[in-house]
Amino acid sequence: MNSPAEDQILEGAREVIRREGAATAGIAEQLDESFLSAVSLLLNCRGKVVVAGSGTSGTVARRMAHLLSVCGTPAVFLHPMDALHGSLGAVSGADVVIAISKGGGSGELNDFARGAQKRGARVLSLTADADSALGRIADVSVQIVPAGQADPGGLIAMGSTLAVSAWGDALAVTLMRLSGYSWSQVLAAHPAGTVGRLTDIPEELPPLDASALSGRE
C-alpha cells in the first residue's frame, strides 16, 4: 500500500498525462480548411519537404520529417540556424518548407522562412498564433492551439508539441492515402530492422480522392 505522499506523486504524474492527452485529442476538432490547404500544398509539391524548427519544435520537426518520408512524402529536417549559415542552398523553388514555432517569433526560423521564399519555396507555418510574425510570413498558415494547461507554467513545451506531432501524423497518413503509397513501398524503405523483414503485409489503407482538393492550392 502506498503512503499518502506516494499517492500524491503518482496522481501528479497522472495529471500531466491526462492534460497532455486532452491537449492532443482536442486537435482533431481543430482540423479545418487550413488542414486541407496544407494537404494540397504538400500533395502538389514537386520537390522535397523541408521541416524546420528550433528548440523543442526542432525535435518535433525532425520527427515529422521522418514520418512524412516513411509515409511516402519525401522530407528532410533542416535546422534554421544551419540554413542561415549556408544550408539554405539546399532549398529549391520546387520545395515546401514546414516551419514550426509555438509563438511564431523565433528570429532565426522567420529569417529562414523568408530566405526560402526568396529561393521560390512555399512556406507552411504551424503555430499557436496565426497572426504571429511567422504566421504572416507563410503562404499557408495553420493554427494549432492545444486545449487546457498543456504546457507546465505555459512555458515548457510539452503538451503543445505533442499536439503538433499529432497534427503532423494526421498529415502524413492523409497524404499516404491520397497518393496511394503502399505498405510494400513502406517496407522497401526499411531494409534494416524488423519492419523490413515482415512478410505479412497489412491491408492497404482506404484511399482518398485527391480530386476533391482540385483548385485549392
Side-chain angles (χ1 to χ4, degrees):
M1 183 175 181
N2 296 329
S3 69
E6 289 172 327
D7 284 338
Q8 187 177 30
I9 290 170
L10 290 172
E11 184 55 31
R14 291 180 185 121
E15 184 56 31
V16 171
I17 295 171
R18 292 188 191 107
R19 285 198 303 266
E20 293 188 347
T24 302
I27 299 305
E29 304 309 316
Q30 293 183 30
L31 298 185
D32 56 14
E33 295 289 316
S34 65
F35 181 79
L36 296 175
S37 295
V39 169
S40 179
L41 182 64
L42 268 66
L43 190 64
N44 290 293
C45 177
R46 294 297 171 255
K48 62 186 174 297
V49 178
V50 178
V51 195
S54 296
T56 312
S57 292
T59 302
V60 172
R62 188 183 296 274
R63 177 186 184 275
M64 190 178 296
H66 172 73
L67 290 174
L68 282 168
S69 296
V70 168
C71 293
T73 299
V76 294
F77 168 76
L78 180 58
H79 194 286
M81 190 57 77
D82 287 342
L84 297 179
H85 284 269
S87 293
L88 184 59
V91 179
S92 78
D95 296 341
V96 172
V97 170
I98 301 178
I100 305 173
S101 172
K102 179 182 177 182
S106 297
E108 71 277 10
L109 182 62
N110 294 350
D111 288 345
F112 167 52
R114 294 186 188 96
Q117 286 175 323
K118 287 180 182 178
R119 298 180 66 82
R122 306 286 298 279
V123 173
L124 164 64
S125 69
L126 306 181
T127 77
D129 181 5
D131 195 42
S132 63
L134 180 59
R136 293 193 299 271
I137 290 168
D139 298 283
V140 175
S141 180
V142 175
Q143 182 169 289
I144 302 174
V145 183
Q149 299 297 317
D151 294 336
L155 298 174
I156 305 175
M158 291 183 173
S160 61
T161 51
L162 289 177
V164 173
S165 295
W167 188 96
D169 293 350
L171 176 68
V173 174
T174 299
L175 290 168
M176 184 177 179
R177 295 175 64 187
L178 284 164
S179 67
Y181 197 73
S182 69
W183 290 122
S184 294
Q185 290 170 292
V186 172
L187 297 183
H190 289 76
T194 303
V195 172
R197 294 193 294 271
L198 292 176
T199 57
D200 187 10
I201 298 177
E203 182 178 347
E204 300 296 346
L205 296 175
L208 293 171
D209 183 3
S211 67
L213 299 172
S214 178
R216 175 168 289 278
E217 187 188 354

